[in-house]
Amino acid sequence: MSAFGQRFAFFWAALLLVLALAAPRAHAGAYEAELPANLATTPDMCSLLPCGEVFPGAKHFSERKGQPPYVEAYDSDGADKKLLGYVMLSTDITDTPAYSGKPVVTLIGMDKEGHFVGIQVLKHSEPILLLGIPESALINFNNQYLGKSVTDTIEVGPSRPDENVIGVDAISGATVTVVAQNQVVMASGAAVARQTGIIAPTVREPARFIAGGQNYDWAQLVQMGVVKQLLVKPEQVGLPRGPEPFIELWYGDLNHPDVGTSLLGKHNYERLHASLKEGENALFVIKTAGQESFKGSGFVRGGIYDRVQVKQGADSFTFRDLDSLNLYGLEAQGAPRYTESAIFIIRSHSFSAAYPWKFAFLGNRVDRATGQRSFAMFESKYWLPAALLEGGRPKVEEPAAPWVRIWKSQALPISLFALLLVAVTVVYALREKLTRLSTHKNKWPVNGFKYTFWAISIFWIGFGYMAQPSITQVLTWFHSLLFQWTWSLFLSDPFIFLFWIFIIVTVFLFGRGLFCGWMCPFGSLQEGIYKIAKAVGLKRFQTALPQKWHDRLKWVKYAVFFGLLAVSMFSMGLAEKLAEVEPFKTTFLVGVMNRAWPYGLFVAAILGVSIFIERPYCKYICPLGASLAMPSTFRWFGLKRKQDCNSCKACAVGCGAQAIDADGRIDHRECLHCLDCMILYTDTKGCPPLAMERKRRERDGLEITPIGKNGYFIPIHPAKVEDQISPKAKKGVDPRMPTDRTLPAHKEDVGLLQWLWLELRDHLWPWSREGWHSQKTLQIAGLALAIAATIAWVQAALGHLSSGAIIGWWFGWSVYEVLIRLSGRRYVKDGPWWRDQYRIAGAMDMMSYVGFKNLMIGAALFLMLKTLGWLIA
């Protein structure tokens, strides 16, 4: 049998090696492609980029013009050249992030009528497109826009002719990426179309003011919200943190009589408005701090102020030198000193001071790792108070966000999916009632539901909506939590989003088994194959690994998970490549026939082995299962055990997950919740201790009472439950806990306040007297590392340490904390945290506890530092 286990382990190792070596190189294409260093600033953009490829037939391209910038495409470079259309670089216009948190850099061609004639992705950082989904899929997606107009309403998903919505097909498995790309293409096209007159300007009702002749000081103006601040810190543009901001601007409306008079004085206000034509509006801008200029060092007479912009709705307003007046002083009492100032005139009738608008500062963000510059826009919202406007603020209907439109367009299937997840949770919550209706010979009260959910997860969730959760989502969400969380991106894939809510809730309630055992599409596919093979006569060939080999190989999945997590800290792209250890993409997202042969071979091998061994991938390789197993250590509700389980092997023999040890204890990290043991728990014919007691009562003519919650017959007065427990079982361990119970001495007989204090101390202070006596050197080293980790957090707060560095320090501290606790405070809680159900911790228990605890603490500190603007990204 040992030889069998060795051959099994060798088989999987060889298969993974073939997958790694024989797989063709990824069609990286635009993935993290190098772009010219001066791309963001070079006037002749098309000398650096293939503009001719996105505008077929164009022979000559102008320099950048307009704000945001674009390039004109001509049929020749002669004197009689004819304008054909426009070319734009998406990052000159929008920095909309995709799934990776970085923008997809796209070159777009558009003719004079507003039809897209060419789209080419120059660079992206989407790991989902690195392997499996070829670069051609992104090209084909972009090609769907060719011939369509910027004035069309284009959304990812099915067309809705009754709403004049044109649909474009998504890339299977990359929904979030293409939703972001749709926003990039349409926003870029619309920005240029408005400048060039393709899209007619919006007409808004001019503001009608309520003026009371009041004069306000600066503090009152700020408190009212009619003077606003826009602050950009050095670290926000990739520069080292310093005491001075990158730029600090104050701006406000100069159209309202009371506000304008308070700021400029009555004489200057009247002179300003005497110079304005009907429909024109004015605002002021001052710089009070920072070395950067909002006018720009390269500004020339007749040029554009390319660093400031006003946005209202979908319209953008930029300023030339003729739209600027000198601001010689502010009359408002308490106004700050400034080093740069201007009054800007908005001459478009599309703008109305009654409606909300944004003041934007445009700049470049420097990637500190590569030195590359990228487009960055910093905005501040502005809206005059309702009390200053006749009739109050007008009603403004903002267009629904793309993720909102996706949820609305798929309302029925999303609702059905949500109901399915609720139904699974409710059915499982009622598992004890179902298992009491079942016996070891008739499991259909449980299996009827379970098999139905398997079929739904395989065919509807997996192959239908391709909503197979993946370890890549765990890694992406982990990075997003630490670096840049964007709700709208994750909401763009509603099925995956809802599935993860279900997973998170049920893992902490019941453990990983409900998802892994009942709802995972690939896990259900393996189990379905195993069950069908058994039904068609292959049962005699089906086996399980020897328990000692199972106990060794089950750790492989944890090694895979920790390896992927560590690699992702340095390179998400490499982590995505290595995440091909998951067969999910090949099976559900892309398809076996659409991938290179090693990927298909890998899937075939897993499913082939599943004929003979129950769920081999789930038990030994799956990094997603490993990531969910760790918090399963602290599930609130586990499966029931009784004292006799420590000597009776009936449940262990029938456990397909091999999650029950020799003492009858269940490892909830490995349990897949088939519920067979729960069926035996109350089965008076299948459970050996119950069967013996039943036969004794029948022989003695005693009443057969119901089975109590403790798994034994309700005693016949004056008998006791203990009389039903075998002498051998009484001497054995308590199988109701995964490890032996314990209660720290300092937690015995304490009041509520002291208990809360000790609870906090236990989580934050890992040292103990026991550890000091047994591992003094380790304790001292841990103390030194804790001080170093604390200093690292302080350095991060001061802006001297990057996110990557602090993560490294925090990870190192976590490793040492595991060792320190194992040498002293070797206990964890079982079940809800407010119960004192302590038990002795094994190495995996402690790794799960420390890892999860420090992840939560680290995330909280990260979010706090980011909120305060102190952390360097």
Side-chain angles (χ1 to χ4, degrees), residues 116 144-145 148-150 152-156 164-168 182 186 405:
F116 295 109
Q144 295 180 91
Y145 291 89
K148 294 181 173 65
S149 175
V150 70
D152 294 330
T153 302
I154 301 176
E155 295 181 6
V156 176
N164 294 320
V165 173
I166 298 175
V168 291
N182 180 64
M186 298 307 296
R405 297 196 293 267

Side-chain angles (χ1 to χ4, degrees), residues 746-757:
H746 62 275
K747 282 287 191 77
E748 296 179 3
D749 301 323
V750 297
L752 177 61
L753 292 179
Q754 188 179 2
W755 182 89
L756 290 173
W757 159 246

Side-chain angles (χ1 to χ4, degrees), residues 340-393:
E340 198 172 53
S341 64
I343 295 174
F344 288 116
I345 311 300
I346 302 175
R347 305 192 187 278
S348 172
H349 289 261
S350 298
F351 181 86
S352 171
Y355 287 79
W357 51 277
K358 298 176 183 177
F359 180 73
F361 175 79
L362 291 79
N364 290 306
R365 183 183 289 113
V366 180
D367 188 321
R368 300 185 69 179
T370 64
Q372 293 286 328
R373 293 178 175 268
S374 60
F375 173 80
M377 180 178 291
F378 305 93
E379 297 177 338
S380 176
K381 296 181 179 179
Y382 189 97
W383 198 354
L384 280 173
L388 301 182
L389 298 167
E390 285 188 16
R393 288 173 169 176

Side-chain angles (χ1 to χ4, degrees), residues 600-652:
L601 174 64
F602 184 49
V603 172
I606 292 173
L607 299 181
V609 174
S610 298
I611 296 173
F612 309 104
I613 297 177
E614 191 172 354
R615 292 181 181 255
Y617 182 79
C618 301
K619 291 192 285 189
Y620 305 119
I621 302 176
C622 183
L624 177 62
S627 70
L628 301 180
M630 295 181 67
S632 296
T633 306
F634 314 106
R635 83 259 156 259
W636 286 11
F637 306 105
L639 301 181
K640 290 192 173 182
R641 300 273 83 195
K642 51 193 167 192
Q643 187 66 30
D644 274 292
C645 292
N646 63 22
S647 58
C648 172
K649 308 299 181 184
C651 291

Side-chain angles (χ1 to χ4, degrees), residues 137-138 140-142 144-145 148 154-159 166-172 174-175 178-179:
L138 187 56
N140 292 335
F141 172 80
N142 286 329
Q144 295 180 91
Y145 291 89
K148 294 181 173 65
I154 301 176
E155 295 181 6
V156 176
S159 297
I166 298 175
V168 291
D169 295 329
I171 300 175
S172 296
T175 304
V178 296
V179 167

